[in-house]
Amino acid sequence: MKHLVTGGAGFIGSNIIEKILLSGDEVICLDNLSTGDLRNLKKWQNNTKLKFIKTDIENFVDLEVDKIWHLACPGSPSFYQKDPIKTTKTIFLGTLNVLELSKRYRAKLLVASSSEIYGNPKEHPQKEEYFGNVNPIGKRSCYEEGKRIAESLCTDYSNKYNLDIKLARIFNSYGKNMKSNDGRVIYNFILQALKNEPITIYGDGLQTRSFCFIDDLVDGLFSFMKTTFRKPINLGNNEEITILELAKLIKAKCLSQSKIIHLPKREDEPLKRRPDLVLSKKVLSWHPRVNIENGLEKTINYLKEIHVVKN
Ligand code: UDP
C-alpha cells in the first residue's frame, strides 16, 4: 500500500506518517517546508519506505498512490493570516491537485477540513449539519472560506467521478511536532510558562475552545480513512474550556511564576467552539480518550525535552 501525505513535515502530517511507517506501508511526503519541519521526520530518515519531495502543493505532481492524506496548509491563524492570498491559493489549488490525483489513480482521499468552516458559530456545540457563520471579508476568511470551497470542490468531484473522499473537520488539536513559534494557544502558553514569561491572553479569556490530543486525532483520521463514508465528520475533543481556565491550568502544571496578562482581543475571533461528536462515534466507533490534563502533561514534558535538546 502506497500513501501520499501532503504537508507531511507539519504537525498533523508528520504524526500520520509515523503511524503509516509503523504499519509497514510506503509513504511519499510532499511539503514546501514553509511551516513544516524536516526535524519532525528525522527519526525516519534512513527508512527506505519514506520518500520526501520538496514542492508547493499549488504545483501538480503526478504520483501513483493508493491513499492520499491532504494536510498541506498552515493551520495557525498567525501563520495563515501572514499571506492570506497565498493561503487561499494553497487551499484551493492544493485541493484541486489532490482531487485530480485521486481521480487519475482512483486513490482514496482524506482532506483536512476544519472547525473554521463554522466561523463564529451561532449553534453550539457544532453538528455537521450546521452551515456556519462566516464573515467572507474578515481576517480569517482566507482559511474559513478556503476550507469551505475545498469541501464544496471535494463534494462535486466525489459526485461527478464517484470518488471515495473523506472530509475531516478537524477541531483545535495539540501535541508533538508543532512549530515552537506556531502561535497557537497551547504551545504559546506552555512555552511562556516554562520561561516564567507573561502568559498572553487575547481579550478577556472567556472565549472557549475544546482541545484534542494528537494521538486521538490521528486515530480518528485512520478510522475515517478505513470507512466508505463520504460526508464530513467532526474530529476533536468535546471537553470545552475557557482560555483563562487553560492559562491557569498550564501555569499550575508548569509550576510557573508567570503572570497572566490580557492583550487586545483578536479580530474575527470565534467566541466558542466545541464539536458535536455523535456522528464520529456512530460512524467511526471513535471517541477521544486523552483528557486535557493528561494531554497537557505529555505536551509539557515533550516541550521541556525539546527545549533542553536545543540549549
Ligand atoms: N489565544 C490567546 N493567547 C495566545 C494564543 C491564542 O489568548 O497567545 C487564544 C485565541 O485568542 C483563541 C484561542 O486562544 O481564543 C485559540 O487560539 P489559536 O490561535 O490556538 O486557534 P484558533 O482556535 O483561534 O484557530
Side-chain angles (χ1 to χ4, degrees), residues 75-78 80 115-116 140 143 172-173 178 182-189 192 199-203 205 207-209 211 243-244 246 261 263-266 269-271 273:
S76 166
S78 51
Y80 74 60
S115 56
E116 299 239 10
R140 289 185 173 243
Y143 193 87
N172 295 68
S173 41
M178 264 192 190
D182 175 89
R184 274 177 282 190
V185 68
I186 289 191
Y187 263 40
N188 266 13
F189 285 1
Q192 290 165 341
I199 295 179
T200 54
I201 292 186
Y202 303 145
Q207 68 270 34
T208 70
R209 294 293 186 273
F211 295 97
I243 296 306
L244 183 58
L246 179 73
I261 62 165
L263 298 179
K265 177 178 171 293
R266 283 198 312 203
E269 162 95 65
L271 296 180
R273 187 184 282 159

Side-chain angles (χ1 to χ4, degrees), residues 30-81:
L30 290 191
D31 207 301
N32 66 359
L33 300 181
S34 69
T35 55
D37 191 328
L38 279 180
R39 279 175 298 186
N40 288 338
L41 301 172
K42 202 169 170 225
K43 72 173 172 192
W44 308 107
Q45 66 188 356
N46 297 324
N47 187 319
T48 52
K49 294 198 168 165
L50 172 64
K51 273 205 187 91
F52 174 75
I53 301 174
K54 184 170 187 281
T55 182
D56 197 298
I57 196 62
E58 283 180 33
N59 308 316
F60 180 77
V61 186
D62 191 1
L63 297 164
E64 186 168 0
V65 292
D66 307 294
K67 286 185 182 167
I68 305 169
W69 308 76
H70 179 45
L71 282 302
C73 186
S76 166
S78 51
F79 277 101
Y80 74 60
Q81 287 171 15

